[in-house]
Amino acid sequence: MSFDRRIRIAPSILSADFADFGAEIRAVEDQGADWVHIDVMDGHFVPNLTFGPQAVSAFRPHVKTLMDVHLMIAPVDPYIAAFADAGADRLTAHVEAGPHIHRTVQAIRDAGMTAGVALNPATPAEAAMHLLDLVDLVLVMTVNPGFGGQSFIDLTDKIATLRAAIGDRPVHIQVDGGITPETAPRVARAGADALVAGSAVFRGGSVDAPEAYGRNIAALRRAAEGATGTMA
Ligand code: DX5
Ligand code: ZN
């Protein structure tokens, strides 16, 4: 059976109400999210601070789909066990976070999670090439990581290069940053199948009015599927 490349929408809870994460996670999942994306930042690899393993562990019981944890931290290796204990399903680490990304990916797998590898905007696709048999996802950052609500950087050539290199391997291409119904078709056409979106999912809604989340998720999915012809 070939790998399921239907579009996945992964809301980033960086744009959720920080006083109500449990309800926000349940709301986006009820409204059609495929995965829940958690942006971990250390104030060192990126100029912002967010969640540690203790927060991720508190999110765990609320996530029924897949807890997709994007680590924007350096170093990574000393924290892998803590995020595994916290219940992360996938840990994605940046190739720029240290000299031994291959060892990091192996350590994530050895800890019982699937591994993703992330590339900053200026990092070439080639940086992921020797990891494609070890990861289940390559994350192409379409903003410089650190904050939600930034403008999309067009890296469709990098996405297309990775898509060709991945071939039949069971590896998702995820994009993160500035993804909207306007930019989604461009990345999907180039080969991205997993779309992270913060502002474009949470805008206009709340836990008391979650239907807007549903409309936003559906609009992203429709825009991406329309570009590739891969309807569910
Ligand atoms: C950026 C984060 C993203 C961010 C996306 O460092 O990795 O996940 O929250 O936010 P939007 O969709 O608002 O660009
Ligand atoms: Zn992210």
Side-chain angles (χ1 to χ4, degrees), residues 63-83:
V63 179
K64 294 203 283 282
T65 56
L66 183 145
M67 193 148 69
D68 179 40
V69 178
H70 175 194
L71 297 180
M72 287 160 275
I73 66 174
V76 172
D77 296 11
Y79 301 99
I80 291 172
F83 283 105

Side-chain angles (χ1 to χ4, degrees), residues 10 12 14 37-41 68-72 94 139 141 145-146 174-177 196-197:
S12 163
L14 195 57
H37 186 82
I38 298 169
D39 286 307
V40 173
M41 304 186 188
D68 179 40
V69 178
H70 175 194
L71 297 180
M72 287 160 275
H94 274 258
L139 168 51
M141 288 305 301
Q174 186 174 57
V175 285
D176 186 358
V196 175

Side-chain angles (χ1 to χ4, degrees), residues 138-164:
V138 178
L139 168 51
V140 176
M141 288 305 301
T142 41
V143 297
N144 286 296
F147 303 94
Q150 303 182 77
S151 302
F152 176 76
I153 301 169
D154 193 331
L155 295 162
T156 44
D157 57 338
K158 178 160 36 175
I159 296 166
T161 300
L162 284 163
R163 183 67 196 87

Side-chain angles (χ1 to χ4, degrees), residues 41-216:
M41 304 186 188
D42 67 353
H44 163 74
F45 181 70
V46 290
N48 196 4
L49 281 165
T50 57
F51 322 113
Q54 202 175 347
V56 171
S57 165
F59 304 153
R60 178 67 268 180
H62 301 280
V63 179
K64 294 203 283 282
T65 56
L66 183 145
M67 193 148 69
D68 179 40
V69 178
H70 175 194
L71 297 180
M72 287 160 275
I73 66 174
V76 172
D77 296 11
Y79 301 99
I80 291 172
F83 283 105
D85 290 346
D89 294 304
R90 175 191 297 122
L91 274 193
T92 296
H94 274 258
V95 302
E96 307 87 359
H100 297 295
I101 184 66
H102 191 285
R103 172 182 290 148
T104 297
V105 163
Q106 284 179 320
I108 292 170
R109 289 163 52 110
D110 288 348
M113 298 170 284
T114 60
V117 65
L119 307 176
N120 279 334
T123 302
E126 284 65 29
M129 293 306 177
H130 294 289
L131 298 165
L132 296 180
D133 290 322
L134 294 174
V135 297
D136 86 322
L137 175 143
V138 178
L139 168 51
V140 176
M141 288 305 301
T142 41
V143 297
N144 286 296
F147 303 94
Q150 303 182 77
S151 302
F152 176 76
I153 301 169
D154 193 331
L155 295 162
T156 44
D157 57 338
K158 178 160 36 175
I159 296 166
T161 300
L162 284 163
R163 183 67 196 87
I166 286 168
D168 293 333
R169 291 182 177 91
V171 178
H172 297 286
I173 297 183
Q174 186 174 57
V175 285
D176 186 358
I179 300 300
T180 65
E182 289 69 46
T183 57
R186 289 151 69 180
V187 292
R189 211 173 294 123
D193 61 280
L195 277 51
V196 175
S199 0
V201 166
F202 285 93
R203 71 163 67 107
S206 70
V207 293
D208 299 319
E211 302 76 20
Y213 299 162
R215 286 194 297 275
N216 293 340

